[in-house]
Amino acid sequence: MAGPRVVIIGAGVVGAALADEISARGWTEVTVVDQGPLPATGGSSSHAPGLVFQTNSSKTMAEMARYTVEKFCSLDVDGEPCFLRVGGLEVATTPERLTELRRRHGWVTAWGIEARLLTPEECVEQHPLVNRDKVLGGLLVPTDGLAKAVLAVEAQIRRATGRGVRFLARHEVLDVRQSEGRVTGVLTDKGEIAADIVVCCAGIWGPKIARMAGMNLPLTPLAHQLAWTGPVPALAGQEQEAVRPILRHQDADLYYRDRFDRLGIGYYGHRPMPVCADDILSVDEAEQMPSVLKFTEEDFEDAWSETRSLLPATAEAKIEEGINGLFSFTTDNFPLLGESAEVKGFWVAEAVWVTHSAGVGRAMAEWLVDGYCSSFDLHECDVNRFEPHQLSAEYVLARDCQNFVEVYDILHPLQPSGQPRPIRTSPFHARQQELGAFFLEANGWERPQWYEANASLVEGRSIPVPNDWAARYWSPIVGAEAQRTRETVAMYDMTALKRLEVAGPGAAAFLERLCTGRVAKSVGSVTYTLLLNHDGGIRSDITVARLGRDLFQVGANGNLDLDWFTRHLPSDGTVQVRDITPGTCCIGLWGPLARKVLQPLTDEDFSGDGLKYFRAKRAHIGSVPVTAMRLSYVGELGWELYTTADLGRKLWDTLRTAAEPLGGIVAGRGAFNSLRLEKGYRSFGTDMTYEHDPYEAGVGFAVKSDKEEFIGRAALERRRAGVRRRLSCLTVDDPRAVVMGKEPVYDGDRPVGYVTSAAYGYTVGRGIAYAWLPVDLATPGTTVHIGYFGRRVEAVVAEEPLFDPTMSRLRG
């Protein structure tokens, strides 16, 4: 036996995959418990229709699906395969969906998965039951197919058992034992099992199990309809289980799969049917299995009518059986992976469908054994990513039900989430409403994208109108606000950015250990620095301001930064970390006239010598006490001005009154994003993530290699010499070809990378797209092409930054 004692709760596709992957890495003192029989335990895995479509807007989710396909293709049970690689076909019956399929083709190409767009005739060739007169085109992924979930569970159980893993069927978990903030074991109806690590893979029961460890899991089980036809005459004599591609008709919220001479029909177009995890029946109480509810025929009527239209051969068949099967949904459609913030050793791998199950098993095994995941970027999946309001029962239920309704909808990258809204508003919100702010949402914050009050600024300016897709959630006011910022001065609401306070006698040493740069400098210093994983990948980019001997303010990217800090706190109590975002606010005052606005309002010296670039100090702006940091995300002279929430409106009014006579404006996030890309500033989570290192991402300057030690230093030294890709600035001359991100980049006909952030540069007069490229193509002057809705947009690798390369405006 090797490794710590591990108990995995749940032997479905996730629990079985984790047991297999973790035992393959040498941890074999592993016990898997499940309340049901093996291998069909009664959870979602036992009734899942098994369709695996790898196409996803998330690179991580697509890669997990690809790994699942590859692994399942290698598995069998006594010669019976665990995966039928029949391909996956999505069809369009509306012009809007046909356009969307071109976008989806771009995603899957960007992530390195083979796919091709089909004509209507080719769709019928692939799936002869499809009505040629109804479809406008399709997207085929040849490596998609049908996962035989129960067989895959059995195959992985056999492999793990062969390495010494123990599987205990008919063991109901009653409690998760813990002592002094750490798990000690699991109590079942058959007795207690000691453990150093407990991993909850309980699926639809996840919230119930997690609660035993004091964890609030934002997951809702929702019923989803699956029906089976009787014999379809057109399929008579089909001896193989599946010969046609799995089929998605997303315009009608439908999917289909073969089963010999019958068809399975899945439907998402019905009303949401949420179920509380506590109300799910036990294995013995359930008529069929706990995850299967009674089929509601009335909810399926539209689905059956539409099926006979798309697949006319089904008109001669009948619906013979159906279920309302339970699956897990989350508020942002990503899995819930990681360790509890409160109870050490309690981990979750939840809200995972069959499509991504083996990938999640591998990711969790690497994370547990190595301390980090090397195969996938997990920042979107970490269970500790949520803000407190996102864990409320009302929020979770509303968003999970909405995600069920929208599961096949065409969603724009900027499309705001639905109810409940508004949730978080800055002290400036009422003033912003008065100015006609168009709000989008960021972590619950209502954040202006532009202001209708600035509409008059558009007149006389050259503001190119982008293509129809990019023009959604856009206004020419965005361009006017960007140009006016560089001409005069603008106020930006930066309240939505997370702010942490790190204090105590050990604060400086604590931050030095976590950060790549030197932050224990003089009081008033501000440092742009990175947080790295143990493998040298970028966890976050942050600013650290030293406001006192033992007091620092950190500009963070989200709750995962707070979680990372908290996990690394020294045990002696010499450091305290707290989130000060809710009680504070921030205005970015930026532009060439920023000093003319600010200096008359204060007795403090805000000259270039009085407060140098990347320095901070306390001051009063009028009657408002502020912490002023000379930073700028837009590449202009100016400051971030922080104060308490109760004084926020007063600060806003004071600055606006002073700025207006100078032609100053308030500006929104649309202008901000354009200006930051002109200046080449990276955005964590979009331009760079856990899978990238600083030298690839162009932020190697934030690493002080002469520092004695910081997390990730040793791994980073090994990676430094092996840079094979770079985050590169591309420019596009066509003003209508404004891409949105995640599009593939081609060298000739060869896909070589993908776009991260993009916008039109209103003050440089070109489209801007940052993209990951092979190092041999990341040379200024190189011509590449961006795949955009089926067309190719010419782009050129450019020297960066595009704006103010000498930094004269920032340092003025």
Side-chain angles (χ1 to χ4, degrees), residues 311-369:
L311 309 174
T314 59
E316 303 176 59
K318 295 182 179 179
I319 298 297
E320 283 198 346
E321 57 181 305
I323 63 171
N324 286 4
L326 294 178
F327 289 96
S328 300
F329 279 77
T330 63
T331 57
D332 57 6
N333 290 317
F334 285 102
L336 307 173
L337 312 180
E339 186 181 22
S340 163
E342 305 296 333
V343 180
K344 292 186 182 301
F346 183 79
W347 293 68
V348 299
E350 288 289 343
V352 181
W353 293 6
V354 173
T355 299
H356 310 103
S357 58
V360 167
R362 178 173 184 171
M364 292 298 296
E366 290 177 353
W367 200 350
L368 286 161
V369 174

Side-chain angles (χ1 to χ4, degrees), residues 435-452:
L435 294 170
F438 180 85
F439 292 100
L440 296 181
E441 184 190 9
N443 286 327
W445 290 101
E446 295 295 318
R447 187 164 66 182
Q449 192 74 358
W450 69 82
Y451 294 87
E452 288 295 332

Side-chain angles (χ1 to χ4, degrees), residues 579-598:
D579 183 358
I580 62 172
T581 314
T584 57
C585 59
C586 178
I587 294 174
L589 180 71
W590 296 312
L593 303 184
R595 187 172 286 123
K596 290 186 177 181
V597 172
L598 194 65

